[in-house]
Amino acid sequence: MKRRVILAALALAGCDVGPDPVEVERVRAGTETVRQQLKLPETAQFKGVAAHGEAVCGEVNASVGMGRTGYERFIVKGGKVILASQLDTDAAMDAQWQANCGD
């Protein structure tokens, strides 16, 4: 009997567990926006992508035709993409990251 109660509680608890569909869509749209900025969008690999307020932040690694670039941070906000490689210094990206991604 005790086992059935625990299993029933776990089943009920699992009803609302899962990713928020709105957040999933924001992350998908953000990664697609980044892909559009890449030379070879089909080679993009993403990690650590999450929605933060109005921004989507994460890292992308893609080929530039002669190998991969290595993972670099990106921020998508208001339909615009900021890639770390587009900024003059790491400190500039750190400031953008701090302001938009909260880490």
Side-chain angles (χ1 to χ4, degrees), residues 11-61:
L12 289 175
C15 291
D16 292 330
V17 175
D20 179 357
V22 173
E23 296 298 310
V24 169
E25 176 54 26
R26 287 185 59 219
V27 167
R28 189 206 61 75
T31 57
E32 279 305 309
T33 302
V34 172
R35 281 182 201 279
Q36 294 172 8
Q37 302 295 310
L38 302 173
K39 183 176 181 179
L40 298 169
E42 67 278 4
T43 67
Q45 297 174 332
F46 294 92
K47 72 177 184 179
V49 182
H52 296 272
E54 297 177 17
V56 174
C57 307
E59 294 180 73
V60 62
N61 183 12

Side-chain angles (χ1 to χ4, degrees), residues 61-83:
N61 183 12
S63 177
V64 292
M66 298 173 58
R68 292 198 167 269
T69 59
Y71 281 96
E72 71 172 296
R73 292 183 292 176
F74 70 84
I75 301 167
V76 178
K77 187 173 180 181
K80 297 185 186 219
V81 177
I82 301 170
L83 291 167

